Amino acid sequence: MSAIQKVDTNDRAQVRRFLQLPFRLYRHCPQWVPPLLTDMVMALNRAKHPFYEHSAADFFLATRGDEVVGRIAALENVNYNRHHGTRSGQFYFFDCQDDDEAAAALFGAVAEWARGRRLDTVIGPKGMSPFDGYGLLQRGYEQRQMMNMMNYNAPYYCRLVEAQGYTKEVDFVSVFLRAAGFRLDERIHRVAERARQRQSLRVLEMRSKADLRHWAPAIGRAYNQAFVHNWEYVPLTEREIQFVLDQLLLIANPRLLKFIAHDDDVVGFALGFPDVSAALQRARGHLLPFGIFDLLRELRVAKGLAGNGAGILPEFHGLGGNALLYTEMERTVHDFHYEWYELTQVAETATQMRRDLENIGGEAYKNHRVYRLAL
């Protein structure tokens, strides 16, 4: 029998046990990219992570004797529930040996936690931030994880979750484009140019991190407006916007982050990041003392570009805004001589973007599934 232990997030030893499990489970997996332990510690830090300013989470371990065999987190994003008029909880950080009994104990703890907060549904995997990555990997196990922008898991995870009665809520598809084939039709370029001239749309060139910080409030407003109709949407607080920006600046080249402006408002964006997965694998969760230098080197020599966050305000969809956004994505890939581009985790409910990506030759090659259970 598995015993369930609630993690005392003020106890460093317990936090360490919670964080170390995936490092043991995936130590021989060439596709897994270890998270940075500093980021994971922050996720359990109730005093510093902005999620806890409005919402709640608890963390559980499944143990058998002295061995940790599974882990999971239970969350309630109060802002999400308030915006959507729901009473849902979330599960996240689910990792487990191929063990039905341990998985049942973990999900039983989440259900009990959610009922204790008078919630009526559990959805997941779904984390504290839109940048945490959604769902369990269901297709594309042979492909390396794209940094920490998405989750990686063994195939048996889906079976363990479905055995607890969870069913599909929504799928997120990641799309791959080879640079050699990423050539937009000239018609799209003409539409983009008309958008510049007739709709007064322009591309903001970010040349430094100081530029990014200057535009951060406008970028945050654009994010909060661009995805308002999406399933996963939750408005970010000012502290969350700043927190995400601070995290992104670690691996961001400002020149790869493209923003579309109308007058002085940001109305669209396509966030590109060099794929530094190889450096993160070598770091094994630790950037200090030497991993940071390897990461900086990988930023310069990375062959692929990851897109994590692309959108435009709905009122500019029919005015050439999408065309301008895609021409900027194309220009970035070719100007910086990347060999390929991956746009991570596009929700199946984002029908316009899915259609656009298919039209420019994107290949759906990974699928992550978010599950739901009615309590």
Side-chain angles (χ1 to χ4, degrees), residues 198-325:
R198 299 179 184 177
Q199 307 301 330
S200 300
L201 296 180
R202 60 192 173 96
V203 177
L204 295 176
E205 297 288 346
M206 299 291 166
R207 301 189 180 279
S208 68
K209 294 183 178 181
D211 287 343
L212 272 176
R213 293 191 183 280
H214 171 76
W215 283 95
I219 294 168
R221 288 194 298 271
Y223 182 90
N224 276 345
Q225 295 171 30
F227 300 122
V228 68
H229 298 302
N230 285 15
W231 167 89
E232 71 275 16
Y233 173 76
V234 57
L236 298 179
T237 66
E238 290 186 11
R239 268 267 292 135
E240 286 174 318
I241 291 168
Q242 187 60 53
F243 181 80
V244 169
L245 181 64
D246 289 342
Q247 287 186 310
L248 296 184
L249 286 176
L250 178 65
I251 60 169
N253 176 346
R255 296 172 66 196
L256 302 177
L257 306 179
K258 302 297 182 176
F259 300 95
I260 308 299
H262 180 261
D263 295 329
D264 291 327
D265 293 323
V266 174
V267 299
F269 47 86
L271 309 182
F273 304 91
D275 177 18
V276 295
S277 301
L280 291 173
Q281 287 179 318
R282 292 189 292 268
R284 299 179 182 178
H286 300 277
L287 281 185
L288 299 176
F290 304 114
I292 187 66
F293 300 107
D294 189 33
L295 179 68
L296 293 173
R297 176 186 174 276
E298 194 71 25
L299 284 169
R300 296 192 299 271
V301 302
K303 295 181 179 180
L305 186 68
N308 185 19
I312 193 151
L313 269 59
E315 56 265 36
F316 291 92
H317 281 179
L319 302 177
N322 278 26
L324 185 54
L325 200 62

Side-chain angles (χ1 to χ4, degrees), residues 7-241:
V7 174
D8 179 353
T9 55
N10 293 314
D11 186 314
R12 291 185 179 181
Q14 290 188 31
V15 169
R16 191 179 305 115
R17 293 184 85 199
F18 185 88
L19 299 181
Q20 286 296 329
L21 177 61
F23 286 83
R24 174 164 61 83
L25 293 178
Y26 293 100
R27 64 185 180 277
H28 299 307
C29 177
Q31 291 83 20
W32 182 65
V33 177
L36 294 176
L37 285 169
T38 52
D39 290 346
M40 295 300 97
V41 169
M42 178 63 74
L44 275 70
N45 190 323
R46 301 177 193 277
K48 294 185 177 181
H49 198 291
F51 175 85
Y52 298 103
E53 294 175 1
H54 54 76
S55 295
D58 278 307
F59 306 86
F60 301 92
L61 291 171
T63 60
R64 194 169 289 123
D66 293 330
E67 182 183 18
V68 174
V69 296
R71 70 172 193 174
I72 203 165
L75 297 78
E76 181 190 1
N77 191 319
V78 174
N79 284 353
Y80 177 89
N81 281 332
R82 183 181 297 120
H83 177 80
H84 291 274
T86 55
R87 294 291 302 165
S88 65
Q90 302 166 203
F91 75 87
Y92 196 59
F93 291 133
F94 171 62
D95 283 291
C96 192
Q97 296 177 182
D98 192 356
D99 186 320
D100 291 270
E101 188 272 332
L106 288 167
F107 282 101
V110 170
E112 182 179 357
W113 185 92
R115 291 190 183 100
R117 298 182 68 84
R118 305 177 74 176
L119 306 177
D120 58 23
T121 309
V122 177
I123 296 172
K126 189 169 183 282
M128 298 174 173
S129 158
F131 294 92
D132 284 343
Y134 297 106
L136 290 180
L137 183 64
Q138 188 198 40
R139 180 167 66 89
Y141 298 107
E142 72 283 3
Q143 305 291 340
R144 185 169 63 183
Q145 179 182 357
M146 178 50 71
M147 296 185 278
N148 304 126
M149 296 176 176
M150 58 174 62
N151 306 318
Y152 188 87
N153 54 266
Y156 67 80
Y157 277 43
C158 293
R159 177 179 54 78
L160 291 180
V161 172
E162 290 167 7
Q164 307 311 312
Y166 282 81
T167 57
K168 173 187 170 181
E169 168 72 358
V170 65
D171 283 354
F172 285 81
V173 174
S174 295
V175 177
F176 184 89
L177 298 101
R178 297 192 183 279
F182 192 0
R183 300 287 181 182
L184 297 176
D185 188 280
E186 188 56 36
R187 179 180 58 85
I188 298 177
H189 286 277
R190 289 196 298 269
V191 172
E193 188 56 34
R194 284 199 298 270
R196 292 177 187 268
Q197 295 177 4
R198 299 179 184 177
Q199 307 301 330
S200 300
L201 296 180
R202 60 192 173 96
V203 177
L204 295 176
E205 297 288 346
M206 299 291 166
R207 301 189 180 279
S208 68
K209 294 183 178 181
D211 287 343
L212 272 176
R213 293 191 183 280
H214 171 76
W215 283 95
I219 294 168
R221 288 194 298 271
Y223 182 90
N224 276 345
Q225 295 171 30
F227 300 122
V228 68
H229 298 302
N230 285 15
W231 167 89
E232 71 275 16
Y233 173 76
V234 57
L236 298 179
T237 66
E238 290 186 11
R239 268 267 292 135
E240 286 174 318
I241 291 168

